[in-house]
Amino acid sequence: KKSIRLHPDRNGEENRPIFEEFTDARDVFSDVHLRQVYVTQMLEVFSKIGPDHIEIAHEAWNKKHRPDVAEQATRNAKGGKNKDAPLQLEGVLDLSQTPRGVMVTNYRRNNSDIVKIAVYALQPKYEFYSKIKSIRVEMKSTTNEKRSFLLKRRDIVAKIQLDCHRQAMLEPLVTVAETSLNPGLWEIVAYIQLDPMGTDIMNPNNASGESVAMKPSALMMFDVVDRAQEKLVNHFETAEGRCKQVYAELSSVVHKLRSNSSAQNNSLSVLERYGTYHNVLVRARQK
């Protein structure tokens, strides 16, 4: 309604700049997240620095968050050598960073050992989820067994949940796979592909055919243990410990009997000595 009231056909050509600014702002802030980020940051500038810096903060915000302005600023910074080059995300997602190592956890499900493989979201998370194209996890064991898992954007978006205000809840970890692995030591590396033109978190499709490859994640080592074998070993070690304890106790009793036998032979009858030894054997059998 306001754009109609501000239209130059009703207010004259002298008001066209105001109309264009309004429609431009309306188009950018149709993205709910961008609108929330803008309002929050401008209020912070106003409260901490003062109203005199709002215009400077507005220009800085455009260069960093607004897709078309940020893209042009990035290309200008490169000297305009390639005007058609895709946005490289400088100042938003640091492409030189090395992603953190893959998070691996294991749990029991239906009497089976399951390994959960997840990748840390890059910061800021909003940019990561807006531009993520795919995540590929490569695994290799010490026995040269190889496994590979690929998670595409459509699957990543399907995992995003909404809060009561229909806002996306962005998790710090993206689950790539839940699977079973053979026992052994595994090397795990993640490869992340970004779409530099992406701006909508909930869009299941890639915004363009462009692709930016991040550095491989830090190498992660994970030891998969055979739980059944581990249980047998624990039982054996427990039994072995008890046997050693019993052996030590019986050895101590035998030593005492032998050391006292010469002194008791003169005072004890054969029957009494037999009874003493019998009691020792009974206790040993119980042990």
Side-chain angles (χ1 to χ4, degrees):
K1 293 181 180 179
K2 190 171 183 178
S3 62
I4 295 176
R5 292 199 301 269
L6 294 175
H7 200 280
D9 292 345
R10 299 183 61 177
N11 295 279
E13 285 297 322
E14 64 274 9
N15 292 314
R16 179 174 291 277
I18 299 176
F19 170 76
E20 290 179 348
E21 287 183 4
F22 175 79
T23 54
D24 186 50
R26 182 194 61 190
D27 293 340
V28 173
F29 291 147
S30 59
D31 187 314
V32 177
H33 181 82
L34 284 180
R35 183 168 67 248
Q36 291 177 342
V37 171
Y38 180 84
V39 172
T40 301
Q41 293 184 357
M42 293 302 109
L43 288 176
E44 185 176 2
V45 170
F46 181 85
S47 61
K48 292 184 178 180
I49 303 178
D52 295 338
H53 293 79
I54 290 294
E55 185 173 352
I56 298 175
H58 171 78
E59 293 177 357
W61 187 93
N62 275 341
K63 291 180 180 179
K64 182 175 181 180
H65 294 284
R66 178 171 168 171
D68 54 342
V69 176
E71 179 182 358
Q72 187 60 46
T74 300
R75 292 173 180 171
N76 291 340
K78 293 183 176 182
K81 295 180 180 179
N82 185 0
K83 295 182 179 180
D84 297 325
L87 175 64
Q88 293 299 305
L89 313 178
E90 285 86 351
V92 183
L93 279 177
D94 182 9
L95 296 183
S96 64
Q97 65 177 302
T98 299
R100 297 173 61 181
V102 179
M103 171 65 76
V104 184
T105 55
N106 59 343
Y107 61 93
R108 295 282 293 177
R109 184 174 67 189
N110 298 329
N111 296 323
S112 299
D113 292 317
I114 303 298
V115 175
K116 182 178 180 180
I117 305 166
V119 172
Y120 287 96
L122 303 176
Q123 297 297 329
K125 288 189 294 184
Y126 174 79
E127 294 291 340
F128 171 78
Y129 279 96
S130 298
K131 304 179 187 304
I132 185 64
K133 194 168 188 176
S134 67
I135 301 174
R136 189 177 86 256
V137 174
E138 298 287 346
M139 308 179 65
K140 181 180 179 181
S141 71
T142 51
T143 58
N144 209 31
E145 181 181 356
K146 297 180 181 180
R147 299 286 297 275
S148 179
F149 302 96
L150 178 64
L151 191 67
K152 295 186 177 180
R153 176 171 182 81
R154 182 175 297 275
D155 301 318
I156 297 173
V157 172
K159 296 176 182 290
I160 299 176
Q161 298 181 353
L162 303 178
D163 61 15
C164 58
H165 301 292
R166 305 296 297 173
Q167 299 299 311
M169 295 188 295
L170 306 181
E171 299 294 336
L173 287 167
V174 180
T175 301
V176 178
E178 294 183 73
T179 184
S180 58
L181 296 174
N182 291 327
L185 190 62
W186 290 79
E187 296 179 352
I188 308 175
V189 179
Y191 300 89
I192 297 175
Q193 293 281 338
L194 300 176
D195 182 346
M197 298 302 178
T199 58
D200 185 1
I201 291 178
M202 301 307 296
N203 183 5
N205 301 313
N206 297 312
S208 70
E210 302 291 339
S211 183
V212 176
M214 296 292 297
K215 291 181 179 179
S217 70
L219 180 65
M220 172 70 181
M221 304 295 293
F222 184 72
D223 190 12
V224 179
V225 179
D226 188 337
R227 295 301 181 89
Q229 180 67 20
E230 184 181 37
K231 188 176 181 180
L232 290 175
V233 170
N234 289 337
H235 282 317
F236 176 81
E237 290 177 347
T238 301
E240 184 182 32
R242 291 181 61 188
C243 288
K244 290 180 178 179
Q245 181 181 2
V246 170
Y247 178 79
E249 293 176 0
L250 291 178
S251 297
S252 176
V253 171
V254 171
H255 176 72
K256 290 179 180 179
L257 287 174
R258 286 175 176 172
S259 61
N260 296 330
S261 60
S262 59
Q264 292 177 347
N265 281 339
N266 297 328
S267 60
L268 295 177
S269 65
V270 175
L271 184 60
E272 288 173 331
R273 288 201 300 274
Y274 173 81
T276 301
Y277 297 151
H278 177 73
N279 289 333
V280 172
L281 291 175
V282 170
R283 290 199 298 271
R285 183 177 299 154
Q286 292 173 349
K287 290 285 187 180

